[in-house]
Amino acid sequence: MTNTSTRSADGRDADELDIAPETGWNALFLDGEWVPAGDRDLIDVENPATRTTVTTVPSATEDDVDEAYAIAEDAQSAWGQRPPQERAAIVSDACALLGEYADDLEWLFAVECGGVQLKADFETQLAQGTMEVGAGLAMRDGGRRKDSVTPGKENLLVREPAGVVGVITPWNFPLYLTSRVVAPAIALGNSVVLKPDEHTPLMGGLVLARVFEEAGLPDGVLNVVPGYGHEIGDHFSGHSVPSVMSFTGSSEVGRGVGQRAVGAYTEPALELGGNNAHVVLPDADLERAIDAGAFGSFTHQGQECISINRHVVHESLYDEYVAGLADRAAQLHIGDPREEGTLVGPVINESQRDKIVGFLEESVANGATVEAGGGHDGLFIEPTVLSGVTSDMPVACNEHFGPVAPVIPFETDEEAIEIVNDTEYGLSGSVHSTDVARARDVADAMETGMVHINDQPLNDEPHVAFGGVGASGLGRYNDEWIMDTLTTLKWISIQREPREYPY
Ligand code: NAD
């Protein structure tokens, strides 16, 4: 399944990359210092394609979390008082550095995340976009003036930094999903403690620490504690210091994070899982729908919260759609992400693979038919198309998070909507029709935070509100919506003339 012609020479050492800190990556980033692992346990960062160790990082302890929050708390007020243009400039400089280190990042995307070049380019663009928009927030909307119902009173709404922001992120789009919180948080005068996922501590955390350090961010404003979620996650999310707890990850873990955060009077911002549907109405342009369906299902091995999880296709187009999608799936080159032309790399780890393969096998045992793919080798899973799928099959009713495309038939638009909404998730989705008004009616009825007509669900633009409903999360990311989460509005009123009180 893999071949040996590599796009860039292997054997590079993560500690010798231009972007690496002088100490190497085996460190925490606390108060502007790279703190060596010392006697802490270590986390092995594994290349999912070759199963070799890329580097090791310390496994942060609860004491490290306490220290990081204390440092962030100390640093926040001075940082929040810096002029907004200074905060914006540092975020912009960090963004530019991502471009300067593009080669290193592309390599890390491949060896740490299993991401092919297409995905590396896509994610770098998204990360830079969110940092540019985030930098701009520093200069936006400092507050408002509101008329008062009391004579002689002036009402001011003053926007202040929220304070310390705790950030927990996943492994699938680590650089982007971390930047989309860290950049606006810093630009708006907050300090941050970040716990990246244990599979991607570099791209999800230490890389950002490096570029912000180089951009001149004052010590203590960004602190990174790589660590296992099951070891330090509860302590991290239930901590008394942060004012905001930003979590991106699974709905199951997110629910607990949200509960612990609220228990500590911390505002949760939760971006969780999805079970996104790609609906193809009978009057759709079939080729467009298939192209979109393939891209939305197989990009980054289907490991995005907004990947297509289910294809919901009108019975009149069903056979042709399945055949077209199977044809596209069979043509995708699978292999090491560093091989020229690879479009499908490995999934991140064994437990993800076993989960995906388990859903697949159980669905086939329940009557689904494999139309393309179906096999796996190591962490590589073939792009797979399944026909004869019903909503209750494991591959359809769970977020499978793999390169798997279950296709479910329907008869009427109402039935399609019922199938789409038959899930606790509500993140993204798509509808194909040559009648935009009809597609719009279906889009309106889909219980999701985002729907894309004549496209596929995998869309994210750094200036457009992003988020879900139901088990897919609470709140919205990007631009002014994340600004509301990362700031506090304080009402200050000025009584300019004596007020008459009733006694
Ligand atoms: P996960 O929930 O297992 O892990 C995410 C993060 O949570 C990691 O950093 C992990 O270490 C940490 N964690 C684990 N246990 C914890 C605990 N008890 N307390 C605090 N933190 C803990 O998710 P995953 O498998 O890494 O990521 C995939 C999931 O993320 C999918 O469900 C996907 O849909 C979702 N996701 C959502 C979005 C979005 O924007 N809505 C984006 C990307 C991924």
Side-chain angles (χ1 to χ4, degrees), residues 55 63 93 95 121 127 155-156 197 253 255 258 268-269 281 291 309 324 327 330 375 382 384 421 440 460 462 467-468:
T55 189
D63 287 347
D93 289 353
C95 174
D121 295 344
N155 284 324
L156 300 173
D197 190 277
V253 174
R255 184 200 290 258
L281 298 179
D291 284 344
N309 204 66
D327 189 46
E382 290 174 342
T384 297
N421 292 339
R440 177 66 209 274
D460 190 350

Side-chain angles (χ1 to χ4, degrees), residues 168-172 177 180 195-198 229-230 233-234 247-250 253 257 260 271-274 305 399 401 427 466:
I168 302 176
T169 47
W171 46 263
N172 61 336
L177 296 172
R180 76 174 176 176
K195 193 209 81 62
D197 190 277
E198 48 270 35
H230 64 267
D234 289 1
F247 175 86
T248 307
S250 62
V253 174
V257 166
R260 282 187 296 281
E271 288 290 354
L272 310 177
C305 55
E399 182 188 39
F401 228 55
L427 193 54
F466 183 103

Side-chain angles (χ1 to χ4, degrees), residues 11 27 45 87 98 124 132 168 180 186 188 207 220 231 237 242 252 269 278 281 337 357 377 392 399 440 493:
V45 180
R87 291 187 257 121
L98 288 183
T124 306
E132 279 163 14
I168 302 176
R180 76 174 176 176
I186 287 176
L188 290 163
V207 157
E231 286 182 3
S237 55
E252 188 189 352
H278 181 62
L281 298 179
V357 170
D377 176 7
D392 55 349
E399 182 188 39
R440 177 66 209 274
S493 82

Side-chain angles (χ1 to χ4, degrees), residues 20 59 71 102 213 220 243 272 276 279 303 349 356 371 405:
S59 174
I71 291 165
E213 178 188 33
S243 304
L272 310 177
N276 312 299
V279 180
Q303 301 174 113
N349 60 27
I356 298 162
E371 302 283 351

